[in-house]
Amino acid sequence: MQFPESWLREFCNPPLTTQQLADTLTMAGLEVEVLKPVAPSFTKIVVGEIREAVQHPDADRLRVCQVDVGQGALLNIVCGAPNARVGIKVPCALVGAELPPGEDGKPFLIKVGKLRGVESQGMLCSARELKLSEDHAGLLELAADAPIGQNIREHLHLDDTLFTLKLTPNLAHCLSVYGVAREVAALTGAPLKAPTFPPVAVSGADKLPVTISAPDLCGRFSGRIVRKANTQAATPAWMVDRLARCGQRSVTALVDISNYVMFELGRPSHIFDLDKIHGGLDVRWGKPGESLKLLNGNTVTVDEKVGVIADDHQVESLAGIMGGDATAVSEATENIYVEAAFWWPKAIAGRSRRYNFSTDAGHRFERGVDPDQTVEHIERITQLIFDICGTPDTVCGPIDDVRVSMPEAAPVTLRVARAVKVIGMPLTQAQCADALLRLGLPVTEGEGTLTVTPPSYRFDLQIEEDLIEEVVRLVGYQQLPATPPLAPITARIRPEAQRSAFAVRRALAGLGYQETINFSFVEERWERELAGNANPIKLLNPIASQMSVMRSSLVGSLLQVLKFNLDRKAGRVNVFELGRVFLRDPASLNTDTTVAGFDQPMRVAGLAYGPREGLQWSLSGKGVDFFDVKGDVQALLSPLPAVFMPASHPAMHPGRCASVAVNGQAIGFVGELHPQWRQGYELAQAPIIFELDLDALLQRPVPVFQPVSKLQPVERDIAVIVSEGVTHAALMAGIHGADTQGLLKSATLFDVYKPQQGNTAMQLGEKSLAVRLVLGSDDATLTDEQIEAVTQAVLASLQVRLQARLRA
């Protein structure tokens, strides 16, 4: 929220400097994010009036002006502005004046000079040259009654400061200049000038029928008819200036009046063209299929979850957010209807985000606006309309105030002992009561308690902790003692058999992968297609329509990263993500780290696409394949042995996908992207993907010392004929399942042979597997009998388990 300091000081003017005032607000929880002067520093610039303007003798675009600056003699100034003409008053920089710094950062000094042979004794200025705006189409024209020779800073009130506050949602009562002034008065003890709302004389009896069909949307709707207003009247310069310093441009007089009261008192309102309203107004929830063209030009479709104001024919306004174009005031408007309402915050919250825009009105109503001041604020708006747009024929009707459902303030009790414990410093009951009374809160004192019935504008005070916060704000956060913790802090030491998630990240980075961080919100289509999840966890209020569910797999996020990089001509993409997924789990219970009904495990996933290695002279540009990524998974799990088995996964190729298991427990998948999704993402080749449970990767067995044998090992090669469907894992299981008396140290498959047509030793559907067995003992050299016994035990085990036979 932005506003000028001078406006704030009209309501409350404490004896503090600008910086002290900003510090006081910040330390009370109203953070002053930016302090900015209204205008940069410049000197010797005064109000001047052009008395004569003639064409320059040697330049078509220059005029020689005679300017009166109140010094008796007229100044001869050469000017090239297209609007330099006799009779206007403009800023005039005298000789010796310093203009704001230019692009080089140095002030611009005005001297006597010559332009095309004609002497110029100063400079006539545009708004851009004074750094007041970006308008440089011509000279800055001042009001006709501007005193000649007056310092321009004084005339335009440029010695002012803009305050920009960063307010938390619970400080909605400070979303106005008067609301901030109320806080300043409580913090400093300076007197507060409360606004008065004298009733405007009613000169008509017209009322517009209003029905509130949705009490859960609108609790109070006040309005009045004003006829024969001059809607073409110009907004006064003082109001235009204040709105500009609040960051709001001037539109028309009626719109400016509504915006001015919103910044002044925090009350958003709306002014309808009365003649464009058909019948009466109905405040209700929208109906499916209804549409509305808004003041910003957008056409939106409403439904039963969006509040509207409608007449007998159509929807006229989005309740509490923005008016409709159909009833907007224009230069042809004569009769208007002024509206101020109380909208329930929960009925407004989040509605504007559905249509991808936000408004000042919606920002205030979804946080809360005082429900008791609608009539008073309409009186304020009406008075401004009479002052600015009034004519002798202007007629004002009575205020029609419809109430159906008003909030009831519930008393809140503060226990002084509890406040002392929470705040962490000694406070007396008198100090707590004084803080609350300074805020204008009615206090009833008891034995060690203070009971407050919040006023209508403090709708945020609902529980004891709210009052405790108000007390500590008024006492001052800077008064809190700095008390170091007394409890000893013991660092949690990670077990030696476990590594950190950062170690996993470093290991993947060492394998050539780059980390990505993605949203946990994904497209519902990803869950259905890539994770096989037909019932994902849906968000009640997604930040975007394409991010409507919680992910149960990291694969979709990585594919999005791949597509993003490929669209920018990346030839090789190796990425990984370590993040949380979200699964439905009825067995999950509510704890400090879990939510009932939902499992939230951590996973790590990787994707490789393009050449296996970057371009270099010693390696060919071989593309990454399944076995490359399988090797990365094995390196990531090392020294734990991983078992890979053929499997199926919705996102992976049916014949090129394997499950990954460690210690007999499945921990994830690795495989090539399914051809269907490769085609859908328009990928030139299939990326290889893996996704694993993080907990399994964090386990690292502690190394156990084993002495190196001093005896030479023995190697034996065997070749067995097995069915073509026998896997490497099954072969190794058969070998290590044999009773070898501990003499078998390792077994390695080194050859696979499949017969051609006409081979009589092997049949079709069979293959030959050659394995090298390494045998050894730590006690003695093996004898031929021991070696033969181990070899026969291995062959016997393979024959029983795999129906293998020794190849001749």
Side-chain angles (χ1 to χ4, degrees):
M1 177 187 168
Q2 179 178 300
F3 58 87
E5 180 184 2
S6 58
W7 196 0
L8 174 65
R9 289 187 182 271
E10 284 188 7
F11 288 113
C12 183
N13 189 13
L16 301 175
T17 65
T18 299
Q19 188 60 55
Q20 289 172 335
L21 179 58
D23 293 342
T24 299
L25 288 171
T26 298
M27 292 310 298
L30 285 73
E31 180 184 353
V32 179
E33 192 172 26
V34 178
L35 277 180
K36 179 182 177 183
V38 168
S41 175
F42 52 77
T43 60
K44 298 187 71 174
I45 300 177
V46 299
V47 177
E49 181 180 3
I50 300 177
R51 294 295 179 87
E52 181 182 326
V54 298
Q55 188 66 40
H56 192 289
D58 294 328
D60 294 337
R61 296 186 178 181
L62 297 180
R63 290 181 176 86
V64 181
C65 302
Q66 300 297 315
V67 183
D68 183 4
V69 294
Q71 296 180 351
L74 300 181
L75 300 181
N76 191 72
I77 298 178
V78 179
C79 178
N83 64 334
R85 64 187 186 276
V86 174
I88 64 171
K89 293 182 178 179
V90 296
C92 178
L94 306 177
V95 174
E98 279 192 358
L99 266 65
E103 295 182 357
D104 59 357
K106 298 180 180 179
F108 186 71
L109 184 65
I110 302 299
K111 303 177 181 178
V112 176
K114 286 189 176 182
L115 291 176
R116 296 289 185 94
V118 177
E119 185 177 74
S120 184
Q121 300 169 330
M123 175 180 172
L124 303 182
C125 303
S126 68
R128 186 176 185 181
E129 288 162 340
L130 298 180
K131 298 293 180 70
L132 301 181
S133 74
E134 292 301 316
D135 182 14
H136 61 287
L139 300 176
L140 173 61
E141 297 189 28
L142 304 175
D145 59 352
I148 294 174
Q150 184 182 29
N151 189 304
I152 201 70
R153 300 191 72 90
E154 180 183 349
H155 176 68
L156 295 178
H157 307 289
L158 300 181
D159 293 321
D160 201 354
T161 304
L162 297 182
F163 278 58
T164 301
L165 302 188
K166 185 178 181 182
L167 299 177
T168 51
N170 64 307
L171 295 175
H173 60 285
C174 296
L175 284 171
S176 65
V177 178
Y178 179 68
V180 177
R182 196 162 45 203
E183 290 290 309
V184 172
L187 293 168
T188 64
L192 176 67
K193 181 183 178 182
T196 57
F197 308 101
V200 177
V202 174
S203 50
D206 290 352
K207 286 187 178 182
L208 183 68
V210 174
T211 303
I212 301 179
S213 300
D216 55 338
L217 166 66
C218 178
R220 184 180 186 182
F221 195 95
S222 306
R224 87 175 339 155
I225 292 173
V226 179
R227 296 188 181 274
K228 302 298 181 181
N230 177 19
T231 57
Q232 299 181 32
T235 306
W238 62 268
M239 182 176 286
V240 173
D241 180 64
R242 280 193 170 172
L243 289 174
R245 295 181 185 185
C246 290
Q248 177 69 50
R249 66 180 180 86
S250 176
V251 183
T252 64
L254 290 176
V255 175
D256 291 347
I257 290 170
S258 177
N259 287 333
Y260 182 84
V261 172
M262 178 180 67
F263 288 117
E264 180 185 42
L265 304 173
R267 165 70 60 191
S269 59
H270 188 61
I271 301 177
F272 296 84
D273 187 327
L274 179 65
D275 298 326
K276 296 178 182 178
I277 298 176
H278 306 92
L281 294 180
D282 185 15
V283 183
R284 59 174 173 80
W285 293 106
K287 299 175 182 177
E290 287 184 324
S291 62
L292 168 66
K293 184 177 181 182
L294 299 171
L295 290 174
N296 61 6
N298 295 343
T299 299
V300 298
T301 300
V302 303
D303 56 27
E304 65 279 359
K305 295 183 180 180
V306 178
V308 299
I309 303 174
D311 62 15
D312 293 347
H313 291 176
Q314 61 186 356
V315 175
E316 302 292 0
S317 176
L318 274 185
I321 298 174
M322 184 179 289
D325 182 69
T327 54
V329 294
S330 64
E331 292 185 354
T333 300
E334 288 188 355
N335 306 314
I336 59 175
Y337 181 72
V338 182
E339 164 265 314
F342 165 66
W343 307 98
W344 290 100
K346 290 184 179 179
I348 304 300
R351 268 58 176 187
S352 59
R353 287 193 293 273
R354 296 180 57 180
Y355 304 112
N356 297 320
F357 69 85
S358 62
T359 63
D360 286 326
H363 181 78
R364 285 164 172 78
F365 278 126
E366 67 183 5
R367 285 160 174 76
V369 174
D370 186 357
D372 282 355
Q373 295 286 311
T374 57
V375 171
E376 290 81 355
H377 293 171
I378 285 182
E379 294 287 5
R380 171 65 168 154
I381 295 170
T382 306
Q383 185 61 60
L384 289 172
I385 291 174
F386 269 76
D387 293 344
I388 298 171
C389 304
T391 68
D393 299 326
T394 302
V395 176
C396 171
I399 295 179
D400 184 23
D401 186 21
V402 181
R403 300 185 181 211
V404 293
S405 177
M406 295 289 286
E408 296 183 2
V412 183
T413 298
L414 167 69
R415 294 166 293 173
V416 176
R418 168 71 174 163
V420 170
K421 182 177 180 181
V422 172
I423 295 173
M425 64 182 291
L427 289 172
T428 64
Q429 183 166 328
Q431 287 176 300
C432 295
D434 176 65
L436 298 176
L437 289 170
R438 283 159 57 191
L439 287 167
L441 305 177
V443 178
T444 302
E445 296 196 38
E447 187 65 33
T449 63
L450 300 171
T451 301
V452 171
T453 300
S456 58
Y457 62 88
R458 290 307 306 266
F459 30 77
D460 59 304
L461 301 179
Q462 299 177 359
I463 59 176
E464 183 180 22
E465 282 70 15
D466 295 331
L467 294 183
I468 294 175
E469 181 181 1
E470 296 304 298
V471 169
V472 74
R473 283 201 313 117
L474 268 291
V475 170
Y477 292 113
Q478 68 274 20
Q479 303 298 329
L480 295 177
T483 306
L486 299 178
I489 299 176
T490 304
R492 290 185 61 186
I493 300 175
R494 184 180 299 108
E496 189 178 359
Q498 184 179 0
R499 60 177 171 176
S500 69
F502 290 101
V504 175
R505 290 185 171 96
R506 288 193 293 269
L508 280 165
L511 292 170
Y513 292 81
Q514 291 183 311
E515 184 175 10
T516 67
I517 301 175
N518 301 288
F519 279 111
S520 296
F521 320 129
V522 298
E523 291 187 42
E524 186 173 0
R525 178 176 62 88
W526 294 1
E527 285 296 297
R528 186 173 59 255
E529 296 176 351
L530 301 175
N533 185 5
N535 185 27
I537 301 169
K538 295 185 178 181
L539 298 172
L540 294 177
N541 187 22
I543 60 175
S545 58
Q546 72 275 15
M547 305 170 75
S548 59
V549 301
M550 304 297 290
R551 64 184 180 184
S552 64
S553 170
L554 305 180
V555 172
S557 301
L558 293 183
L559 286 176
Q560 183 186 40
V561 172
L562 171 64
K563 192 69 170 62
F564 181 88
N565 282 273
L566 294 182
D567 290 344
R568 285 151 184 80
K569 306 302 180 184
R572 177 173 178 266
V573 180
N574 282 17
V575 292
F576 79 93
E577 181 177 6
L578 193 153
R580 197 172 297 280
V581 298
F582 303 85
L583 312 169
R584 296 187 184 276
D585 181 12
S588 293
L589 302 176
N590 267 328
T591 67
D592 292 342
T593 58
T594 62
V595 178
F598 302 97
D599 187 21
Q600 305 174 56
M602 293 289 291
R603 289 185 184 171
V604 59
L607 179 148
Y609 178 94
R612 175 57 178 167
E613 301 289 346
L615 182 65
Q616 56 172 298
W617 64 270
S618 64
L619 294 174
S620 63
K622 171 183 174 294
V624 66
D625 61 19
F626 173 86
F627 296 101
D628 292 324
V629 178
K630 177 188 174 185
D632 290 341
V633 172
Q634 288 176 313
L636 193 60
L637 288 167
S638 178
L640 293 174
V643 177
F644 298 85
M645 297 293 292
S648 61
H649 188 281
M652 299 181 186
H653 193 296
R656 301 173 187 174
C657 170
S659 65
V660 184
V662 173
N663 296 327
Q665 183 177 0
I667 64 167
F669 293 87
V670 59
E672 183 180 296
L673 184 66
H674 197 291
Q676 180 179 358
W677 313 134
R678 171 187 168 185
Q679 182 179 4
Y681 281 91
E682 299 178 349
L683 303 177
Q685 64 189 69
I688 313 301
I689 307 165
F690 69 85
E691 184 172 19
L692 309 171
D693 289 334
L694 178 63
D695 288 344
L697 296 179
L698 301 183
Q699 306 306 314
R700 297 300 296 270
V702 179
V704 179
F705 170 76
Q706 289 184 341
V708 177
S709 176
K710 298 180 181 180
L711 303 175
Q712 183 175 354
V714 176
E715 296 180 352
R716 287 290 185 270
D717 294 345
I718 60 173
V720 293
I721 300 172
V722 296
S723 172
E724 194 169 352
V726 172
T727 64
H728 174 266
L731 176 69
M732 292 297 110
I735 293 174
H736 290 288
D739 183 12
T740 60
Q741 305 296 321
L743 300 179
L744 178 63
K745 300 302 182 183
S746 66
T748 305
L749 175 69
F750 66 88
D751 182 59
V752 179
Y753 170 73
K754 295 182 180 179
Q756 301 293 329
Q757 293 285 349
N759 188 311
T760 57
M762 298 173 58
Q763 302 176 6
L764 290 177
E766 292 184 329
K767 61 183 177 182
S768 171
L769 303 177
V771 181
R772 174 159 297 169
L773 306 177
V774 177
L775 312 179
S777 172
D778 297 333
D779 301 327
T781 302
L782 297 181
T783 63
D784 290 341
E785 291 78 9
Q786 289 176 310
I787 296 171
E788 182 64 20
V790 171
T791 304
Q792 292 302 322
V794 169
L795 292 173
S797 176
L798 293 176
Q799 181 179 5
V800 172
R801 292 170 179 258
L802 305 178
Q803 291 74 52
R805 64 182 188 275
L806 188 64
R807 181 179 173 187

